[in-house]
Amino acid sequence: MADARITVHTAARIDRIAPEVHGHFSEHLGRCIYDGLWHDDSADEDGFREDVVSLLADLEVPVLRWPGGCFADDYHWEDGVGPQEARPRRRNLFWAQGREDVPEESNAFGTDEFLDLCERIGTEPYLAANVGSGDPQEAANWAEYCNYDGDTELADRRRENGHEEPYGVEYWGLGNENWGCGGQMSPEQYAREYRRFATYVGTQSNLMFDHDLELIACGFEGHEWNRRFLEEINESPWGAEFPLDHLTLHHYYGRGMNVSEADEEQYDRLLADALEMERHIERMAGAINAVATTRDIGVIVDEWGTWHPEATADNGLEQPGTVLDALSAAAVLDVFNHNSDVVTMSNIAQTVNVLQCLIETDGDDAWARPTYRVFDLYAPHKGSEAVRTSIETPTRAVDDERDLSLVRASASVDDGEPYVTVTNLDCREAHTVEVALEGTELDPDAVDASVLFADHDPDAEVDADNAETFTADDLDVSVDSGSLIADLPASTVAGISLQ
Ligand code: AHR
């Protein structure tokens, strides 16, 4: 007998799930770039780690944000182009990195290496320009170097550096956490800086009022800051027409708990904290709607994921990859699906070795973490139409104000074919789940379902030797009275399609 019921309202469309919602973020921090994506003594003559490149290519990562993070507002892009031997070594103001573990930047991995990586893995680049310690001219020059096709010194420099054709970088972030590491600005101050930068970076076609790049401003989890920022932006003579296409939010959780020492109550709390994402998206959308609409200005969550106490600046923000973290990623991806009319991109932090990375490396080994498996299971949602779901589920109180819904789901439809992901966030008990798909004739032979983590506990940690045990297994699904029925073991994630 089912104790959780999901109804998929297949005709109640929300919006297309932007593929960019499955994006990633790579910063010059710890072993993300050096030793993670790149090492000079690699078998690949260009310095890329072939193993990591191939894992990323398999996942079909839609967009990759770079070079930071806090590092972005300490980075001067011209240090990282041209002959490698002539590039200056600089201090890295925020992070020690690489195998040498020093707070310095060799600049061996710069713009052309990053954009080459994006071409190799078939991903769109998202560059974060330096607002905190840079100036609009520097940012505009970067856009010209990357994108201009004419007869200028910067376009020629790109050609000399091996890239004849413009890269066509579409996504430009103007600053990162400018309320904090990016210059400690008030919202009004950042809005004024943003306006200056956007004026010069916004276009490559000389039509200032018709900017052709996707311009991204950084916002804050403190939503009053966003309201004041948007109000000040709106004060400009351009008003809501001003080039601002997306406003970003960062949401980390898990800082109070180390998964290996935590108990089940703490697991519940972490999952409830992850689900706060919904409230942040709503509040940011509310701030946007006061000056424009979320069609004009989308919400990007360009850093998110778990950040546990093991991850410190001293160890390059490294922490174990666990099933619990992967469950939280599934819960957040459901939130993005439910808000597909508002969320235009997300970038989990960070791609390799840092925080809730999807890929981990050790010497010559590279392997996928449980969170990688969740992204793979959710891949069929990318680019599909999200549809509404309603759920009757057991809940558990996590504190005085919050109940955790133990079974969660999201659904999408592509060319008439539904795809449903169902997560059992209950780390203690299995639940029997009934899924009713409105208006869909169910053929038991057409059901294809798989489940992640059925044989693992929530605190199971991945390593090079056990990584393959976290791949998906087949899930038994029966059809009864026109609904799908499945038993979901504790802390598991399932994907169900009808083919
Ligand atoms: O992802 C690590 C850091 O977290 C980033 O540099 C910064 O933007 C955020 O505070």
Side-chain angles (χ1 to χ4, degrees):
M1 169 98 170
D3 61 351
R5 278 173 202 79
I6 298 160
T7 306
V8 178
H9 307 287
T10 48
R13 308 279 159 123
I14 303 172
D15 211 329
R16 178 174 179 264
I17 298 168
E20 291 76 20
V21 162
H22 284 230
H24 298 266
F25 162 47
S26 294
E27 181 168 16
H28 287 241
L29 188 175
R31 295 189 307 122
C32 183
I33 303 293
Y34 301 109
D35 212 28
L37 291 165
W38 170 273
H39 57 150
D40 301 321
D41 54 357
S42 154
D44 183 321
E45 61 179 19
D46 295 319
F48 294 100
R49 284 193 69 126
E50 283 176 352
D51 45 11
V52 173
V53 166
S54 137
L55 281 163
L56 289 172
D58 289 348
L59 201 56
E60 297 183 8
V61 171
V63 62
L64 185 56
R65 175 176 184 244
W66 176 84
C70 295
F71 179 75
D73 287 86
D74 183 38
Y75 182 61
H76 300 283
W77 69 272
E78 286 189 82
D79 290 344
V81 295
Q84 297 258 349
E85 59 285 0
R87 298 185 193 177
R89 191 173 176 87
R90 306 265 188 220
R91 91 272 176 279
N92 181 328
L93 188 59
F94 295 99
W95 314 109
Q97 52 170 354
R99 275 173 290 180
E100 302 157 10
D101 198 25
V102 288
E104 290 173 10
E105 171 55 52
S106 69
N107 281 306
F109 187 93
T111 301
D112 293 296
E113 288 76 20
F114 172 69
L115 295 173
D116 183 354
L117 171 72
C118 290
E119 285 177 354
R120 284 167 190 247
I121 63 176
T123 196
E124 284 291 320
Y126 162 12
L127 295 178
N130 180 344
V131 170
S133 69
D135 62 34
Q137 187 64 63
E138 179 185 27
N141 286 352
W142 201 11
E144 183 178 330
Y145 177 87
C146 293
N147 287 354
Y148 195 60
D149 199 17
D151 180 21
T152 65
E153 188 271 335
L154 284 164
D156 282 344
R157 220 192 301 170
R158 181 195 65 242
R159 295 184 185 106
E160 278 158 28
N161 292 337
H163 212 273
E164 179 62 33
E165 298 300 321
Y167 288 107
V169 178
E170 201 181 341
Y171 295 108
W172 290 85
L174 301 181
N176 170 78
E177 295 190 357
N178 299 88
W179 40 265
C181 62
Q184 302 192 35
M185 300 183 201
S186 69
E188 291 78 15
Q189 186 185 2
Y190 175 60
R192 289 192 286 273
E193 288 297 319
Y194 180 87
R195 285 209 298 256
R196 286 181 70 215
F197 275 72
T199 303
Y200 299 101
V201 178
T203 183
Q204 291 301 294
S205 59
N206 221 12
L207 297 168
M208 203 156 71
F209 297 97
D210 183 19
H211 69 288
D212 51 9
L213 303 176
E214 293 289 309
L215 294 183
I216 302 166
C218 86
F220 191 31
E221 269 184 316
H223 294 280
E224 176 60 10
W225 198 94
N226 299 328
R227 193 193 59 73
R228 283 170 52 188
F229 165 76
L230 286 162
E231 230 164 56
E232 179 72 22
I233 284 283
N234 206 31
E235 288 294 301
S236 99
W238 285 282
E241 297 299 312
F242 196 80
L244 169 58
D245 301 296
H246 312 264
L247 184 61
T248 74
L249 167 70
H250 293 173
H251 181 49
Y252 290 106
Y253 39 86
R255 291 194 200 236
M257 68 170 279
N258 164 330
V259 179
S260 61
E261 290 166 9
D263 59 24
E264 286 155 344
E265 283 182 17
Q266 287 171 294
Y267 296 166
D268 290 345
R269 236 179 344 261
L270 175 126
L271 294 167
D273 291 346
L275 287 164
E276 291 288 318
M277 185 71 89
E278 184 111 51
R279 190 177 56 86
H280 286 303
I281 291 169
E282 275 168 18
R283 294 194 64 187
M284 186 167 258
I288 290 169
N289 280 322
V291 297
T293 75
T294 49
R295 299 268 165 206
D296 305 315
I297 303 172
V299 173
I300 289 181
V301 185
D302 60 4
E303 291 184 29
W304 66 275
T306 55
W307 187 326
H308 296 293
E310 292 101 318
T312 61
D314 288 343
N315 75 353
L317 302 189
E318 294 196 25
Q319 63 189 21
T322 63
V323 165
L324 183 69
D325 283 5
L327 270 188
S328 73
V332 169
L333 290 175
D334 284 338
V335 170
F336 293 151
N337 288 349
H338 298 151
N339 290 279
S340 60
D341 51 340
V342 169
V343 180
T344 42
M345 185 194 294
S346 99
N347 311 80
I348 190 166
Q350 299 193 5
T351 320
V352 196
N353 291 328
V354 171
L355 294 172
Q356 196 175 348
C357 53
L358 275 73
I359 298 168
E360 193 171 346
T361 67
D362 183 16
D364 288 336
D365 291 324
W367 60 94
R369 282 185 157 196
T371 300
Y372 182 105
R373 308 296 176 193
V374 166
F375 271 69
D376 203 23
L377 193 82
Y378 275 65
H381 285 307
K382 285 191 267 186
S384 299
E385 287 284 327
V387 294
R388 300 213 180 272
T389 49
S390 38
I391 308 186
E392 290 166 49
T393 167
T395 59
R396 187 175 298 129
V398 291
D399 51 39
D400 290 346
E401 283 163 15
R402 296 179 303 170
D403 287 335
L404 176 66
S405 303
L406 296 174
V407 174
R408 300 188 63 94
S410 64
S412 62
V413 177
D414 180 32
D415 214 7
E417 288 190 359
Y419 186 66
V420 189
T421 40
V422 186
T423 304
N424 181 5
L425 294 185
D426 192 341
C427 294
R428 306 169 204 203
E429 288 174 27
H431 291 286
T432 301
V433 179
E434 178 184 328
V435 183
L437 290 127
E438 283 179 348
T440 308
E441 197 74 17
L442 290 179
D443 169 4
D445 294 333
V447 179
D448 186 24
S450 50
V451 63
L452 288 169
F453 318 134
D455 298 326
H456 289 287
D457 291 330
D459 60 353
E461 290 179 16
V462 68
D463 60 34
D465 297 326
N466 70 9
E468 289 307 310
T469 67
F470 292 86
T471 52
D473 298 314
D474 290 341
L475 175 69
D476 282 337
V477 177
S478 56
V479 176
D480 186 16
S481 311
S483 292
L484 303 168
I485 310 283
D487 289 324
L488 284 190
S491 53
T492 53
V493 189
I496 307 172
S497 64
L498 302 176
Q499 292 171 340

